[in-house]
Structures are given as C-alpha cells and as structure tokens.
Amino acid sequence: MLKHRGFPGRLTGTDFQFVIRRANMKEGASKIVKRERFKDRRNVDRAADTAFLAALWAHFGEEPFERGNLDAGRLSWLFGREVVAAEDPFNPASYDALLKINLKVAQVSFPQIFAAGAEMEDFDDWEDGFEEEDQD
C-alpha cells in the first residue's frame, strides 16, 4: 500500500480521518462506494469534504493518483462526482486503484477551493466557525 507522505492525516480538531495507518491484511482494502450527500448534512461534515478535496487538489492536481492509504470512507463521499476512476476496469477494493479529480464537477461543487488566490492553508484549520450540533 502506497503511503502518501505529506498528506493531512485528518481534519483538524475532529475525528474525520483522511488516511489510514496500515493496510488491512486479513480482509483487504475497504470498498469505495458512492455515498449520497444530502442537503441537511452537518457543517463539519461539509467542511471535512472540502478540506479533503482541497488536500487532494494540492497533492495531486489533475493527475491520476493511486488510492494507497487514502481513507475509503472519506473518498466515498466524493466518489462518482468530484473523484472518479482513472482506469478501466476499476477495482474499488484495491489499494492500487487509480483515481483522479473530475475538475469540472469539483469546481462547481467546491468553488472555494478553486477560487483565484485560494491556498491549501485556507483549508487546514476548520475549528473556527464549525461547531458540532447538540446531540439530544
């Protein structure tokens, strides 16, 4: 499993992880599936999607990239829209699977990442302004 050095490990101040530490030797890689994003998602969930895509963009740009140690759950929130398969046939349960950013869709879904002058530093600290909703 390729480890993407320098890639953020998680969203600052949360338990939303972006990478995994080691490969699952018993069961293999978790399968990437397309997850539905509903409009009533919490702000912190949206912030995690934004920060993850910003990190992907800063790290890989438009080039295809190997899944490696990127978290399947976090990829699944973007898969099929902003992140797509870069090979055919695509194995969604492989650490070696190639992915790429669908730039046109990503620019529409997350315009703040691609705005003129946007820097990766703008997306690395989401603690301010995103408070957890009360759990009743």
Side-chain angles (χ1 to χ4, degrees):
M1 172 181 76
L2 173 67
K3 291 194 176 190
H4 297 292
R5 302 285 181 209
F7 198 88
R10 65 181 56 244
L11 179 63
T12 305
T14 71
D15 287 332
F16 292 115
Q17 69 181 37
F18 292 168
V19 296
I20 58 174
R21 292 183 184 198
R22 64 187 74 80
N24 184 340
M25 296 305 197
K26 283 186 177 180
E27 299 174 25
S30 295
K31 187 175 180 180
I32 300 171
V33 296
K34 182 178 178 180
R35 290 186 178 172
E36 189 66 34
R37 291 193 312 246
F38 296 102
K39 293 192 184 283
D40 64 347
R41 289 181 73 210
R42 299 178 310 159
N43 286 337
V44 72
D45 292 320
R46 287 188 223 139
D49 292 344
T50 304
F52 185 65
L53 184 60
L56 289 173
W57 178 248
H59 215 75
F60 306 111
E62 292 187 73
E63 296 300 315
F65 56 92
E66 191 173 318
R67 172 188 172 178
N69 69 332
L70 297 175
D71 182 63
R74 186 56 41 207
L75 279 168
S76 291
W77 287 109
L78 303 174
F79 187 70
R81 294 174 293 267
E82 297 83 14
V83 175
V84 294
E87 61 186 352
D88 190 25
F90 176 72
N91 182 355
S94 170
Y95 292 118
D96 299 327
L98 291 179
L99 302 163
K100 67 180 178 179
I101 294 175
N102 183 341
L103 188 56
K104 289 182 181 182
V105 173
Q107 287 174 324
V108 171
S109 300
F110 298 92
Q112 65 275 35
I113 295 172
F114 304 96
E119 299 278 337
M120 182 59 194
E121 295 84 37
D122 296 338
F123 303 102
D124 67 356
D125 189 0
W126 289 95
E127 290 181 9
D128 297 332
F130 294 101
E131 296 181 19
E132 291 282 334
E133 284 99 22
D134 293 327
Q135 301 293 328
D136 293 322

